[in-house]
Amino acid sequence: MTGTSLFSTYDLGGITLANRIVMAPLTRNRAGAGLVPSEFAAEYYAQRASAGLIITEATQVSAQAQGYQDTPGLYTPEQIAAWRKVTDAVHAKGGRIFVQLWHVGRVSHVDLHGGEAPVAPSAIRADAKTFVNNGFADVSEPRALELAEIPGIIESFRQAAANAISAGFDGVEIHGANGYLLDQFAKDGANQRSDSYGGSVENRARLMLEVVAAVAGEIGANRTGIRLSPVSPANGISSSDPQAQFDYIVAQLDKLDIAYIHVVEGATGGSRDVAPFDFAALRKAFRNTYIANNGFDHALAEAHLAKGEADVIAFGRPFIANPDLVERLKSGAALADLDPATLYGGGAKGYIDYPVANADTAA
């Protein structure tokens, strides 16, 4: 489906989006005791409900899935109840909201797990840092998951998806990107297994596809999306054959008929120089919604839509300091800059106190 304008409505799996602007997941490290969403999260997300779709900060599917301090989960009754306040607030403003479901795998630290090692496809330490004990530290050495543990990983995603619906979310996005667990299995820089989850392109894709199938089976394919980053080196991840790997993954995702793929085109938060990777091949192979992400401004987003290179465009960091990003893009108002000192951790400051460009219009 060829896009027409960033501000035109869009049908996402039967859900009408007010525009083709997605708020991408943004980790803010503000979860409270019990890893419930911040007490200010409902206001934060409601302020940004003019986006066609909000995708929440990455949210753990289990205690084992955590990789950074103060990031929320969706596996306890208290977490579900706290997220319900967020979804109610967004829906009251006419917005739509999916939760991003997350298992970090090896991108974690023993201090988050009572001294236990993080888990990974193989016992290969990531060249990456995590936020723990109020600062950044090198991630810990992981242990390889036993074959018998893998069904439990799949089950944790399925249960978290069920919890998401209980919490009032319109759907879920599975985090298959940025060097986290599902991406680790898919890429041979992190996956050196010799069993049915390692070796071939098909075997390395297996866990990701089994998770997607389980989630779609639980809540419906039309409520299920996934984020992919075929060539991003985020969190020390690498692949010797990204085109073959992701051509296969996307072809299989198309068969599962899920609502969307959300693709980081280039290095996460960095360059859009993706040669020689062919993102158009992924776009062509997937019949449903293609969300493009990475370094978009208004002009580039409109050009992408006009050429049919995407259906919807995701914006990340601009949403932090611009709760009214949709209106600013529409009016041409200048974008505010975020305060890096309040990006990770803290309370209301730098979270819910960014002003809108035109208070009269917003009111």
Side-chain angles (χ1 to χ4, degrees):
M1 181 187 302
T2 300
T4 52
S5 163
L6 207 50
F7 308 106
S8 58
T9 59
Y10 184 76
D11 184 302
L12 178 71
I15 297 173
T16 300
L17 308 186
N19 53 64
R20 298 174 187 237
I21 297 170
V22 169
M23 177 179 167
L26 295 159
T27 291
R28 304 300 305 276
N29 301 87
R30 280 170 163 81
L35 300 181
V36 302
S38 162
E39 61 181 307
F40 305 111
E43 183 172 354
Y44 169 74
Y45 284 113
Q47 287 174 347
R48 291 153 179 81
S50 57
L53 176 66
I54 290 172
I55 305 170
T56 71
E57 62 209 276
T59 299
Q60 288 104 232
V61 298
S62 66
Q64 184 198 67
Q66 185 181 7
Y68 304 80
Q69 77 174 58
D70 303 329
T71 52
L74 192 49
Y75 53 89
T76 70
E78 294 77 15
Q79 291 163 352
I80 295 168
W83 277 120
R84 169 60 81 168
K85 295 177 184 176
V86 174
T87 62
D88 285 349
V90 170
H91 290 148
K93 288 285 191 74
R96 296 294 195 173
I97 184 167
F98 278 37
V99 63
Q100 189 185 60
L101 299 181
W102 193 28
H103 193 309
V104 301
R106 67 181 186 168
V107 185
S108 191
H109 194 279
V110 292
D111 286 359
L112 293 168
H113 299 287
E116 295 290 324
V119 299
S122 302
I124 302 170
R125 188 173 185 161
D127 180 12
K129 291 185 181 295
T130 187
F131 188 67
V132 62
N133 303 322
N134 298 312
F136 285 93
D138 290 338
V139 301
S140 300
E141 184 85 20
R143 68 171 179 84
L145 280 161
E146 300 286 342
L147 194 60
E149 293 178 279
I150 289 179
I153 299 287
I154 299 166
E155 169 60 17
S156 67
F157 275 93
R158 185 206 63 76
Q159 183 61 58
N163 294 347
I165 300 305
S166 296
F169 284 103
D170 296 297
V172 309
E173 174 176 288
I174 296 160
H175 202 338
N178 296 354
Y180 297 118
L181 185 66
L182 303 184
D183 202 28
Q184 290 160 28
F185 268 86
K187 292 176 178 172
D188 54 6
N191 183 348
Q192 296 180 10
R193 300 175 73 95
S194 57
D195 59 15
S196 58
Y197 288 89
S200 67
V201 162
E202 294 80 7
N203 282 357
R204 283 186 279 116
R206 190 180 308 278
L207 179 59
M208 183 184 291
L209 296 172
E210 288 179 344
V211 164
V212 174
V215 168
E218 177 64 35
I219 67 170
N222 64 325
R223 294 290 176 266
T224 303
I226 188 168
R227 195 180 202 197
L228 306 171
S229 59
V231 297
S232 178
N235 291 308
I237 202 71
S238 64
S239 173
S240 64
D241 60 347
Q243 193 76 57
Q245 188 67 57
F246 284 87
D247 284 352
Y248 173 77
I249 286 171
V250 171
Q252 300 309 305
L253 292 171
D254 183 68
K255 292 177 183 177
L256 291 171
D257 199 28
I258 60 171
Y260 70 80
I261 56 173
H262 177 186
V263 183
V264 180
E265 298 180 340
T268 305
S271 172
R272 287 188 53 81
D273 181 9
V274 298
F277 192 89
D278 181 11
F279 283 95
L282 305 188
R283 167 75 166 140
K284 192 177 297 184
F286 189 74
R287 81 190 96 154
N288 292 336
T289 300
Y290 183 102
I291 303 176
N293 176 288
N294 206 28
F296 281 93
D297 59 16
H298 188 182
L300 183 60
E302 292 286 14
H304 238 55
L305 293 175
K307 294 175 186 173
E309 293 172 337
D311 299 300
V312 181
I313 306 293
F315 295 82
R317 289 170 75 92
F319 263 111
I320 293 174
N322 299 276
D324 57 338
L325 180 65
V326 174
E327 184 58 38
R328 289 185 192 234
L329 292 173
K330 189 180 291 186
S331 68
L335 300 188
D337 294 324
L338 63 84
D339 175 8
T342 58
L343 191 54
Y344 301 114
K349 181 175 171 54
Y351 190 54
I352 58 170
D353 60 351
Y354 285 107
V356 297
N358 186 332
D360 294 335
T361 301

